[in-house]
């Protein structure tokens, strides 16, 4: 039995209360690995509630912010140091250490880097990652898409594993509510403003869900709020149950990203409901959306409006079936187990 540590970031609990795609993936991976016979230990904030053995004495940053309001800017560093200490004192208990954060674990692992795996849940084409990879060329990194892997040096590449989610979290629905959906952070990377314009041009109502981006809080007030109306409604951040209801009732999910999205978890959440995805041709979109089968890939707002007019040509039951074939957490776990065995065989 392979003994694997799943090392989570310190920002949100595992699983997250509502938003937190990274923590959702870590949770589903850990549970699926356990189901497939892997001995899993999750190193995560103490307010986590995953159904696997867990280690962590300090709560998440989100918990501390909710309790105390503003916290000192040094708190994230304190939480990260505590997480790495949790790992250090248990390092010899694991065959594979699978880290989902960045940067400092590479130093702690030392000679154990060859039996570690790092999944980066963000873009890798910026200066910080470039410098990181240059200093740690022996750190195996699993890409979450071929698009993301293009920014990872050859020496670090360990393979590609697309995300997956629990098969039954979102259930197929053949009934729709006649509206479009947008789910994501209210930020210029996700472009909810573009989703509103497309819906308006198609004469369709839209419901938007997601958090106001803490890194760009003025974007919502300047670019989104002025365009809300009776037919363009913002419902705020949603947990799993409410998100499932929103997605399953939508005629389509609009995914008008304006950055090289390394995966885009909401796309497969929509597919799990049988809901087609209309997504812009950026980042991993061409790997996730199958043109004319699970949705449409577009380059402009005009193409998106035209795609809305073709939604009737898609089979929602087939979309759900493709989700089950490609994007469950069990498939994700199998792919990671194959990488673990490859690393152990080195």
């Amino acid at each position: 039995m392979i003994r694997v540590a799943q090392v989570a970031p310190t920002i949100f609990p595992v699983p997250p209360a509502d938003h937190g795609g990274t923590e959702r993936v870590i949770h589903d991976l850990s549970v699926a690995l356990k189901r497939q016979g892997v001995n899993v230990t999750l190193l995560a904030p103490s307010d986590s509630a995953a159904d696997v053995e867990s280690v962590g004495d300090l709560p998440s940053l989100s918990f501390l912010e909710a309790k105390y309001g503003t916290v000192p800017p040094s708190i994230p560093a304190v939480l990260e140091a505590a997480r790495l200490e949790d790992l250090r004192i248990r390092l010899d208990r694991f065959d594979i250490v699978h880290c989902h954060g960045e940067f400092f674990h590479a130093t702690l692992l030392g000679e154990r880097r060859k039996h570690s795996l790092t999944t980066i849940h963000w873009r890798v084409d910026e200066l910080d990652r470039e410098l990181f990879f240059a200093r740690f060329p022996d750190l195996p990194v699993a890409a979450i898409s071929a698009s993301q892997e293009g920014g990872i040096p050859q020496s670090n590449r360990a393979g590609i594993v697309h995300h997956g989610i629990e098969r039954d979290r979102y259930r197929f629905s053949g009934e729709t509510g006649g509206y479009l959906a947008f789910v994501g952070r209210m930020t210029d990377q996700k472009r909810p403003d573009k989703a509103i314009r497309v819906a308006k041009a198609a004469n369709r109502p839209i419901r938007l869900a997601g958090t106001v981006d803490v890194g760009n809080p003025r974007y919502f007030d300047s670019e989104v709020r002025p365009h809300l109306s009776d037919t363009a409604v913002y419902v705020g951040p949603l947990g799993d149950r409410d998100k499932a209801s929103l997605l399953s009732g939508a005629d389509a999910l609009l995914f008008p990203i304006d950055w090289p999205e390394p995966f885009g978890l909401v796309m497969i959440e929509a597919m799990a409901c049988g809901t087609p995805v209309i997504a812009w041709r950026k980042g991993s979109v061409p790997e996730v959306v199958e043109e004319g089968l699970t949705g449409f890939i577009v380059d402009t707002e005009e193409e998106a409006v035209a795609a809305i007019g073709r939604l009737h040509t898609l089979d929602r039951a087939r979309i759900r079936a493709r989700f089950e074939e490609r994007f469950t957490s069990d498939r994700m776990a199998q792919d990671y187990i194959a990488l673990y065995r490859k690393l152990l065989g080195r």
Side-chain angles (χ1 to χ4, degrees), residues 38 80 131-132:
V38 174
E80 179 68 13
L131 295 173
F132 177 65

Side-chain angles (χ1 to χ4, degrees), residues 25-286:
V25 168
I26 295 169
H27 171 269
D28 289 0
L29 173 60
S30 298
V31 172
L33 288 172
K34 177 182 176 181
R35 195 158 52 227
Q36 296 185 36
V38 174
N39 186 330
V40 179
T41 301
L42 173 65
L43 281 70
S46 58
D47 50 321
S48 299
D51 188 23
V52 296
E53 180 182 350
S54 299
V55 172
D57 294 328
L58 298 182
S60 65
L61 177 63
S62 61
F63 176 91
L64 294 172
E65 289 175 336
K67 182 176 181 179
Y68 298 106
T70 303
V71 299
S74 57
I75 292 297
V78 172
L79 297 177
E80 179 68 13
R83 173 63 33 75
L84 293 179
E85 177 66 2
D86 287 340
L87 175 61
R88 185 192 67 81
I89 61 179
R90 296 171 176 85
L91 199 54
D92 60 354
R93 302 183 189 180
F94 308 118
D95 302 308
I96 292 288
V97 176
H98 189 168
C99 297
H100 298 267
E102 301 167 70
F103 304 116
F104 298 110
H105 66 277
T107 299
L108 171 67
L109 289 170
E111 292 298 317
R112 290 292 307 274
R113 285 198 287 269
K114 62 183 179 180
H115 288 163
S116 75
L117 191 63
T118 296
T119 298
I120 298 174
H121 296 255
W122 191 250
R123 64 191 302 174
V124 295
D125 59 343
E126 296 177 317
L127 180 59
D128 54 354
R129 277 80 180 176
E130 178 183 343
L131 295 173
F132 177 65
F133 291 140
R135 186 60 186 87
F136 298 99
D138 60 338
L139 183 74
V141 177
I144 58 177
S145 64
S147 172
Q148 187 199 54
E149 188 184 54
I152 299 173
Q154 190 67 45
S155 63
N156 294 103
R157 296 180 184 179
I160 300 170
V161 179
H162 285 150
H163 285 336
I165 58 175
E166 282 291 312
R167 176 192 179 108
D168 296 327
R169 176 172 300 120
Y170 298 94
R171 297 186 180 276
F172 169 72
S173 171
E175 302 292 329
T176 65
Y179 59 87
L180 303 171
F182 170 93
V183 179
R185 286 178 292 113
M186 298 292 137
T187 173
D188 55 353
Q189 294 174 334
K190 303 289 189 176
R191 295 303 301 271
D193 59 310
K194 190 182 295 187
I196 294 173
R197 287 199 301 271
V198 168
K200 183 177 181 180
N203 196 29
R204 303 288 289 275
I206 186 170
R207 300 178 187 176
L208 303 100
T211 57
V212 175
D213 187 11
V214 295
N216 189 8
R218 287 180 290 185
Y219 177 84
F220 180 79
D221 287 331
S222 63
E223 303 296 332
V224 179
R225 191 186 300 278
H227 305 290
L228 298 178
S229 66
D230 291 342
T231 57
V233 179
Y234 172 59
V235 299
L238 300 179
D240 286 335
R241 180 178 300 177
D242 290 334
K243 188 193 297 185
S245 178
L246 175 71
L247 290 174
S248 63
D251 289 346
L253 170 75
L254 297 185
F255 195 66
I257 54 170
D258 203 11
W259 73 302
E261 182 92 45
F263 189 82
L265 199 64
V266 70
M267 290 191 288
I268 66 173
E269 292 173 335
M271 292 177 194
C273 300
T275 300
V277 179
I278 299 175
W280 270 242
R281 195 186 315 273
K282 293 180 183 293
S284 65
V285 163

